[in-house]
Amino acid sequence: MSTNLTAPVDQSPHHHKPKTSRARLSYPKVLLIISGSLILLSLLRVVTGATNLTESGQYIAALNAAVPIGLAGLGGLWAERSGVINIGLEGMMMLGAFSAGAVGWQHGPWAAAAAGVVGGALGGLLHAVATVTFGVDHIISGVAINIMALGLTQFLAKLWFGAEGSAAAAAGGNDKQSPPMSDMPTFTVPGLSDWLHSIEQHHWFLVSDTAGIAGSLVTNVSWLTVVTAVLFVLTFYVLWRSAFGLRLRSCGEGPIAAESLGVNVYRYKYAAVLVSGALAGLGGAFLAIYVHIYQDGQTGGRGYIGLATMIFGNWRPGGVAMGAGLFGFMDALQLRGGGPTVHALLLLLAVLLVGLALWKLRAGARTQAALSLVAAALLALWYATTDTVPLEIVGVAPYIATLLVLSLAAQRLRPPKAIGKIYRRGQGK
C-alpha cells in the first residue's frame, strides 16, 4: 500500500488547518527574550541586592534540579505525542530511582543509570499493556502505576536493603535507603570556569550576571546532564525530522487515518510509552545518583511537575526544557535558603503582571487586565512591607510556580487531537 508517511518532514494533521494570527517563536525572538530576561534579572539584582538571582552556585543547583524534571517531561512528551496520557511518570521515576539504588552501590553510577532506564521502561511497558492492548482508561492506569510503584519500592527496600545480615545492610542500607554508591564523574572547562567566576565576583551590571549564569554550564557539570541535553536534541530530530516521528505523531493526531495509510498504531504507541518510561526512569536514577543513595520518597512529586512542564511547553522539547529550567530554579531555592531571593522575585512577578495587564488591556480584555493590576499591587505591597518570605513559602514555591505558569499558558495550548482516546485496531472500517 502506498503511503505519504515516509517523508522526513512535518506533515502532522494540524498543519492543514488555516493559519492563525499567532506567530511562532523564531530564533531572533528567542534570543531577544533571553537578552531581555538577563537585563531584567540584572536590574532586579541591583535593585534588591539579592545576589543569588545570578550566582553560578544557584544555577549549578538549578541545572541539577532541572534534569530529572526535564527527563520526566520529555518522557511525557513521547507518550502523549502518540496519544497516550502518562500520569504514571511519578511511579516510573520511583522505579528508576529504586533500580539505580539497587544496582549502583555494587556496580557504580553508570550501571545505576542503565538500571534506572530499565526500571522505568518496565513501568512504561505495564502502562502500554493496560492502555494500548486492554483499553484501560489512561488516567486510571497511570494512577494505579504510581500507587503500585510506591508500594513495590517500599516492600523491596525492606527485603533487599534492610534485611538483617545482608550485604546491603552491612554496607549501610536500611528499610528506607540503599547503600551509598560512588560519584558520577563531572567535568569543568579549565581556564574558562575560573575566568567566568572572577568576572562574576566584580558584580558588574549584566556582565557579571551573564558570567555567573554561563559559569554554571562549565563548572562541575555531571555527564548525565550532558546525556540529558543530547536526549532533548535527539527527541526533536526523531519526532519532527524523521519518518518514524511523523508516523508516531500521526498516531496521536488521527490513529484511524494513520492506520488507513499502513501505520501499525499499536507498535508506535508501545514504542512511545516504553521510551517515555525509560526517560522517566533515567530521571529517577539521576536523583539517586546525585545524592549517592536511593531514599524512600526521593522523587517528591517531580513526575507530576515534569508533566506540568510538558503542558507548559505545549508538547514541544524546547518548551519542556524551558519549563524544566524554570521549575529547577525554583526547586534550587530550597537548597540554598532562598527566602531573600523569593522575596526579590515578588517584585519581578509584580512587574511582569503589570506588563501582562497592559497586554490584556491592548487586547480588550479589561477584566483580566484589572485582575492582573490588583495582583501586581498586592505583590508590590508584600515586597515593600517585608524583608524576606517564610521558609514554608520557599518550600512550596515550585508548586506555586507550576500553577501560575500553567494558568498563564492555558490559552495557547494545543494538545494532540486523539490524546487519551481509546483506540482499537480496525475501528475505522
Side-chain angles (χ1 to χ4, degrees):
M1 180 182 293
S2 63
T3 173
N4 65 352
L5 291 176
T6 56
V9 294
D10 197 338
Q11 301 176 15
S12 53
H14 70 275
H15 281 207
H16 299 293
K17 289 184 175 182
K19 291 183 179 180
T20 64
S21 59
R22 182 181 294 133
R24 294 184 63 182
L25 285 179
S26 61
Y27 287 112
K29 288 181 180 178
V30 171
L31 291 175
L32 186 62
I33 290 172
I34 293 173
S35 302
S37 300
L38 281 172
I39 293 172
L40 198 58
L41 283 174
S42 300
L43 283 171
L44 192 65
R45 193 257 307 167
V46 171
V47 171
T48 64
T51 56
N52 259 9
L53 281 170
T54 55
E55 277 185 353
S56 58
Q58 169 67 27
Y59 285 88
I60 290 172
L63 189 60
N64 289 323
V67 167
I69 295 172
L71 285 169
L74 199 63
L77 184 149
W78 272 83
E80 299 206 0
R81 275 294 177 180
S82 74
V84 179
I85 298 174
N86 193 356
I87 297 293
L89 290 169
E90 178 76 5
M92 295 169 197
M93 288 189 78
M94 291 181 196
L95 294 173
F98 176 84
S99 300
V103 171
W105 71 277
Q106 291 178 305
H107 303 289
W110 285 112
V117 169
V118 173
L122 289 175
L125 177 62
L126 181 60
H127 189 49
V129 170
T131 58
V132 179
T133 301
F134 292 104
V136 176
D137 182 90
H138 299 188
I139 304 296
I140 293 174
S141 174
V143 171
I145 287 174
N146 290 338
I147 296 172
M148 179 212 70
L150 177 62
L152 182 63
T153 53
Q154 289 178 341
F155 170 74
L156 291 178
K158 292 179 181 178
L159 189 65
W160 292 356
F161 303 147
E164 277 190 45
S166 66
N174 57 48
D175 290 352
K176 299 291 184 181
Q177 68 181 44
S178 69
M181 68 180 81
S182 55
D183 289 337
M184 168 62 72
T186 62
F187 74 88
T188 297
V189 179
L192 180 60
S193 175
D194 293 333
W195 178 64
L196 290 172
H197 182 69
S198 66
I199 294 176
E200 179 190 354
Q201 298 308 305
H202 290 290
H203 298 295
W204 294 326
F205 175 75
L206 189 59
V207 176
S208 293
D209 302 298
T210 304
I213 296 172
S216 67
L217 303 177
V218 294
T219 306
N220 295 329
V221 180
S222 169
W223 284 106
L224 270 185
T225 302
V226 179
V227 170
T228 300
V230 171
L231 288 172
F232 269 87
V233 175
L234 283 176
T235 292
F236 172 76
Y237 278 98
V238 170
L239 292 185
W240 275 270
R241 292 293 185 269
S242 73
F244 172 85
L246 177 58
R247 295 187 188 105
L248 187 147
R249 288 185 294 116
S250 72
C251 295
E253 296 289 348
I256 296 175
E259 182 189 36
S260 71
L261 294 171
V263 175
N264 188 328
V265 177
Y266 279 15
R267 182 182 300 169
Y268 280 91
K269 284 181 179 286
Y270 260 90
V273 181
L274 278 172
V275 173
S276 175
L279 290 169
L282 182 59
F286 183 92
L287 291 171
I289 293 168
Y290 182 63
V291 297
H292 306 111
I293 56 173
Y294 159 78
Q295 294 174 307
D296 185 31
Q298 193 163 41
T299 55
R302 287 176 177 85
Y304 300 113
I305 297 180
L307 196 65
T309 67
M310 178 204 66
I311 298 170
F312 161 74
N314 214 5
W315 291 266
R316 303 280 297 195
V320 173
M322 287 192 294
L326 171 64
F327 299 130
F329 179 85
M330 300 303 295
D331 201 17
L333 291 177
Q334 302 177 63
L335 304 175
R336 298 178 59 81
T341 307
V342 175
H343 183 254
L345 290 175
L346 294 176
L347 184 59
L348 174 62
L349 186 56
V351 172
L352 292 176
L353 282 172
V354 170
L356 178 64
L358 294 174
W359 181 53
K360 290 294 184 182
L361 191 61
R362 184 180 178 186
R366 295 183 179 180
T367 302
Q368 294 179 6
L371 290 174
S372 297
L373 284 175
V374 170
L378 290 174
L379 287 171
L381 181 63
W382 186 2
Y383 174 80
T385 55
T386 57
D387 295 323
T388 186
V389 297
L391 290 179
E392 292 79 7
I393 294 181
V394 176
V396 299
Y399 308 104
I400 296 174
T402 301
L403 292 173
L404 287 175
V405 167
L406 287 180
S407 63
L408 292 174
Q411 299 179 19
R412 66 173 183 84
L413 299 180
R414 195 273 175 201
K417 278 187 178 180
I419 189 170
K421 296 180 180 179
I422 304 301
Y423 164 78
R424 282 285 168 266
R425 184 180 285 131
Q427 70 184 47
K429 295 181 180 179

